[in-house]
Amino acid sequence: MRQFVLFFPLLALLVISLAGTATVEAATGLNPPVKLVWHYYKVTNTCDDAETYIRHQVEKFYRNDSSIAPKLLRLLYSDCMVNGCDASVLLQGPNSERTAPQNRGLGGFVIIDKIKKVLETRCPGVVSCADILNLATRDAVHMAGAPSYPVLTGRRDGGVLNADAVDLPSPSISVEESLAYFKSKGLDVLDMTTLLGAHSMGKTHCSHIVNRLYNFKNTGKPDPTMNTTLVSELRTRCPPRTKKGQTDPLVYLNPDSGSSNRFSNSYYSRVLSHNAVLGVDQQLIYNDDSMEITQEFDASFEDFRKSFALAMSRMGSINVLTGKTGEIRRDCRVTNANYGA
């Protein structure tokens, strides 16, 4: 019997039964102490309609370009997993976080900047860029088919982080290395397996998979865990090396439905059939816990949706700044000290 519990606002640890065959320890709430507030701007009467303004802008963008859903998901992940959810990834500069090699191809900045400008005309100096990023991501992925999970608010914005501080791992790491990375951020195997499921949408550069296609672990052959048909298909789009001046091509993380930018559990069926594009995704079948979770989410989209709601809320609470720490930026691209400079 599958058992998923209501996650909000529980803080206990529960053993979740998956498919009746195994048990996986997984958190059922946010890591204490939770310093954020439900509907913070309404509760504090500082910007009652902040979330409505954000949602309206996201809907306008989404109608013109549904790819904002995977773009904002990646942008939020790149922010929260490095230094906590403090919007530091939004800051511009010659050696800023967003210039790190791991953040090449990040998108969604224009959306956040537009929303910030709207909010500054209505509630100047009140709504943080960190909260905007979390709320806008929730609204975009909800439009793409994800649950409209609760986003606690009250985050403040952090300062500049240099590019060399970005510790986002390679998409070719083993499942043990991936799990160790997620655990270092206070997340568990259920969070990891769930958040990687966001790869049902979006694209990746060929440079991230070329080793799997042509020279896996210096063997001169493709990754033996990869479906041979997928290898052939991706080789038509990804040459073994790019020529000088040639751009690094992009391929869909989910070739079946990538162009639709729809949130689904099809990612898990691709993992189980050895059709994952990224090496880190295919690695999920080589850990007992992540394998059981993958099978469960493949069998039940609703279980994946529930777990996604919790995992996104937990990721959104990593090392948040509240109270007197940090600041509320007037422009998401610069700190207040450099605003107008």
Side-chain angles (χ1 to χ4, degrees):
M1 177 180 180
R2 302 183 183 111
Q3 298 174 350
F4 274 81
V5 298
L6 292 175
F7 67 86
F8 181 77
L10 298 177
L11 298 173
L13 194 72
L14 188 75
V15 175
I16 297 179
S17 173
L18 293 168
T21 60
T23 57
V24 177
E25 282 197 352
T28 60
L30 307 186
N31 294 326
V34 177
K35 298 176 286 186
L36 303 174
V37 178
W38 179 234
H39 294 313
Y40 172 81
Y41 299 102
K42 189 179 292 289
V43 169
T44 57
N45 198 33
T46 52
C47 192
D48 288 1
D49 296 319
E51 295 190 28
T52 301
Y53 295 144
I54 292 171
R55 187 177 306 111
H56 176 66
Q57 292 299 318
V58 170
E59 288 172 350
K60 287 173 61 177
F61 273 100
Y62 188 89
R63 282 194 294 268
N64 292 323
D65 180 11
S66 63
S67 74
I68 70 167
K71 287 176 182 176
L72 287 176
L73 265 175
R74 185 187 170 199
L75 188 59
L76 180 63
Y77 171 85
S78 296
D79 183 48
C80 293
M81 296 295 279
V82 172
N83 196 47
C85 298
D86 64 353
S88 57
V89 74
L90 303 179
L91 292 168
Q92 290 181 333
N95 191 39
S96 61
E97 182 178 345
R98 63 198 280 182
T99 68
Q102 300 96 314
N103 285 330
R104 184 166 61 100
L106 276 184
F109 297 103
V110 172
I111 303 166
I112 303 303
D113 290 339
K114 171 62 176 177
I115 295 172
K116 181 62 175 174
K117 286 181 181 179
V118 170
L119 287 168
E120 284 298 301
T121 64
R122 289 164 170 77
C123 312
V126 171
V127 184
S128 70
C129 300
D131 276 345
I132 292 172
L133 179 54
N134 274 267
L135 289 163
T137 301
R138 185 271 310 275
D139 293 339
V141 296
H142 176 52
M143 294 189 73
S148 185
Y149 54 88
V151 173
L152 303 183
T153 43
R155 296 170 187 80
R156 289 169 65 85
D157 301 321
V160 177
L161 188 69
N162 290 336
D164 57 8
V166 175
D167 64 346
L168 294 171
S170 161
S172 300
I173 59 174
S174 69
V175 66
E176 291 82 9
E177 292 170 319
S178 180
L179 184 55
Y181 178 76
F182 275 82
K183 285 184 175 179
S184 74
K185 308 300 179 179
L187 303 177
D188 58 32
V189 65
L190 181 58
D191 295 315
M192 177 190 76
T193 310
T194 302
L195 292 171
L196 287 176
H199 290 164
S200 63
M201 302 185 292
K203 297 179 179 180
T204 189
H205 284 282
C206 282
S207 58
H208 290 150
I209 61 170
V210 70
N211 65 316
R212 296 193 75 204
L213 300 177
Y214 297 99
N215 190 27
F216 184 67
K217 294 185 177 179
N218 296 316
T219 61
K221 299 178 181 179
D223 185 344
T225 69
M226 201 173 193
N227 185 293
T228 55
T229 301
L230 179 63
V231 171
S232 298
E233 290 175 353
L234 290 175
R235 279 182 168 182
T236 65
R237 296 169 175 80
C238 298
R241 61 188 62 84
T242 55
K243 299 176 182 178
K244 185 177 181 180
Q246 184 180 2
T247 59
D248 187 359
L250 288 163
V251 294
Y252 286 113
L253 288 166
N254 186 344
D256 293 335
S257 60
S259 59
S260 67
N261 293 309
R262 294 299 297 171
F263 179 87
S264 73
N265 63 339
S266 59
Y267 163 89
Y268 297 101
S269 62
R270 292 190 65 88
V271 170
L272 292 172
S273 61
H274 293 267
N275 278 292
V277 172
L278 292 179
V280 66
D281 295 334
Q282 193 58 67
Q283 281 284 309
L284 290 179
I285 65 174
Y286 300 109
N287 171 276
D288 289 343
D289 288 341
S290 59
M291 174 63 163
E292 294 292 344
I293 297 167
T294 297
Q295 291 174 325
E296 176 67 11
F297 290 165
D298 175 51
S300 173
F301 183 38
E302 190 57 31
D303 283 354
F304 171 47
R305 281 168 52 88
K306 290 176 182 177
S307 186
F308 185 80
L310 172 59
M312 289 296 289
S313 296
R314 281 168 51 76
M315 184 178 75
S317 70
I318 297 175
N319 293 341
V320 294
L321 303 175
T322 58
K324 299 297 183 181
T325 58
E327 65 182 11
I328 305 297
R329 285 186 219 140
R330 301 301 297 267
D331 183 330
C332 293
R333 297 169 297 179
V334 297
T335 61
N336 288 343
N338 294 316
Y339 180 68

